[in-house]
């Protein structure tokens, strides 16, 4: 009776299709003789068909589970409540999801562990694109950081060079100021020496002029004395005569 009712199950195997002539009074009598009833017979047919389908699809389900990685399979091995078409569709989805996941895993930028377990093909490919974009953004950030480091080092070198040049200019300016101060000091000393020399020259000139004046007075005095003596001599000669 169970084997006969397998063919009369509905597509989801949750009950009988109740086709005309599928169950009659003879079935009711046979079930009574067997100590059972229609519901138990139909449930036995459903259990038997579900077990057959599970065994039929177990190989494909196992293969898909090996490629899905962290993804949850759409077909978990339980056929209850699913039509054969739905089972085939879920297995096909799992196969495509697994193939897409395996292909995506070859990309070093792909992070499969971050995917939602129920992710489909679109989410997987989007994760690949996101990983590629993250890698590109990271590389760009590293390039920008390296550029900033290079610019910072260049600016530091230029700043140190500028400071060295400013230091050289400052020391040169201090040296020029020192030399100018020395020059001014030398010039002042030279002027002082020149003034002292001029004063000494003037004193010597005054002394020479004074000496010449004394000599002229002495000459005049000597001449006067000579004239006086000569006059006295002439006077004495006159008396003598």
């Amino acid at each position: 009776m169970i084997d006969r009712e397998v063919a009369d199950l509905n597509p989801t195997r949750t009950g009988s299709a109740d086709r005309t002539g599928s169950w009659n009074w003879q079935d009711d009598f046979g079930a009574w003789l067997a100590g059972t009833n229609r519901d138990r017979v139909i449930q036995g047919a459903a259990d038997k068909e579900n077990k057959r389908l599970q065994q039929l699809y177990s190989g494909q389900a196992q293969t898909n589970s090996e490629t899905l990685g962290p993804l949850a399979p759409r077909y978990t091995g339980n056929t209850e409540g699913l039509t054969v078409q739905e089972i085939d569709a879920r297995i096909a989805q799992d196969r495509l999801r697994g193939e897409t996941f395996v292909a995506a895993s070859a990309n070093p930028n792909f992070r499969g562990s971050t995917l939602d377990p129920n992710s489909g093909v679109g989410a997987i490919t989007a994760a690949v694109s996101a990983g590629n974009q993250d890698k590109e953004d990271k590389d760009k950030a590293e390039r920008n950081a390296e550029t900033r480091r290079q610019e910072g080092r260049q600016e530091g070198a230029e700043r140190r060079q500028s400071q060295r040049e400013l230091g050289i200019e400052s020391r040169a300016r201090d040296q020029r100021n020192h030399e100018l101060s020395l020059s001014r000091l030398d010039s002042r000393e030279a002027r002082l020496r020149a003034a002292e020399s001029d004063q000494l020259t003037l004193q010597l000139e005054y002394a020479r002029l004074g000496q010449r004046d004394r000599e002229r007075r002495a000459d005049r005095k000597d001449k006067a004395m000579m004239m006086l003596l000569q006059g006295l001599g002439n006077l004495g000669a006159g008396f003598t005569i």
Side-chain angles (χ1 to χ4, degrees):
M1 294 175 69
I2 287 176
D3 290 340
R4 186 176 67 248
E5 288 303 317
V6 166
D8 195 47
L9 292 171
N10 61 28
T12 58
R13 296 165 307 286
T14 56
S16 174
D18 289 330
R19 291 191 304 274
T20 301
S22 62
W23 187 275
N24 53 39
W25 66 270
Q26 294 174 337
D27 295 314
D28 286 331
F29 182 71
W32 176 76
L33 290 176
T36 184
N37 56 45
R38 179 184 179 187
D39 291 337
R40 292 177 61 185
V41 170
I42 293 175
Q43 184 60 52
D47 292 342
K48 184 174 183 177
E49 182 62 8
N50 281 328
K51 183 177 180 180
R52 184 187 72 82
L53 291 175
Q54 290 173 5
Q55 293 175 345
L56 177 64
Y57 288 110
S58 62
Q60 297 181 58
Q62 178 63 31
T63 300
N64 287 340
S65 65
E66 293 173 355
T67 60
L68 285 171
L71 301 179
R74 299 285 171 81
Y75 174 69
T76 61
N78 184 16
T79 63
E80 295 181 10
L82 299 175
T83 67
V84 172
Q85 292 77 13
E86 289 174 337
I87 295 173
D88 288 336
R90 293 191 179 191
I91 286 180
Q93 291 175 2
D94 287 344
R95 183 183 303 110
L96 182 58
R97 292 168 69 216
E99 292 172 352
T100 305
F101 182 83
V102 170
S105 299
N107 187 328
N109 302 326
F110 175 66
R111 297 292 179 267
S113 59
T114 63
L115 285 174
D116 184 280
N118 296 315
S119 296
V121 172
I124 298 172
T125 56
V128 173
S129 298
N132 290 335
Q133 186 63 49
D134 290 344
K135 181 62 166 59
E136 182 178 348
D137 293 342
K138 181 180 179 181
D139 292 344
K140 183 178 180 180
E142 290 178 352
R143 289 194 300 270
N144 290 338
E146 180 60 24
T147 299
R148 288 193 294 271
R149 285 193 293 270
Q150 293 290 348
E151 291 175 348
R153 286 194 288 269
Q154 181 64 26
E155 290 176 357
E158 292 176 354
R159 184 166 54 253
R160 289 190 295 272
Q161 180 62 25
S162 177
Q163 291 173 350
R164 285 193 294 270
E165 293 175 353
L166 289 175
I168 293 173
E169 292 179 358
S170 177
R171 290 191 295 273
R173 184 168 56 253
D174 293 342
Q175 181 64 27
R176 288 194 299 271
N177 291 336
H178 179 67
E179 292 175 354
L180 182 59
S181 297
L182 292 177
S183 177
R184 290 173 179 171
L185 181 61
D186 292 342
S187 177
R188 181 180 178 186
E189 292 178 351
R191 288 196 298 272
L192 289 176
R193 287 194 297 271
E196 291 175 354
S197 178
D198 292 342
Q199 185 177 9
L200 181 58
T201 301
L202 184 59
Q203 290 175 353
L204 290 175
E205 185 65 22
Y206 283 154
R208 188 166 52 254
L209 292 175
Q211 181 64 29
R212 289 175 60 186
D213 185 57
R214 287 192 295 273
E215 290 177 352
R216 285 195 297 271
R217 287 198 301 272
D219 288 344
R220 287 195 298 269
K221 185 176 181 180
D222 290 343
K223 289 180 179 179
M225 183 61 69
M226 291 292 293
M227 291 177 64
L228 179 59
L229 292 175
Q230 185 178 3
L232 291 176
N234 292 336
L235 181 58
F239 281 114
T240 302
I241 295 172

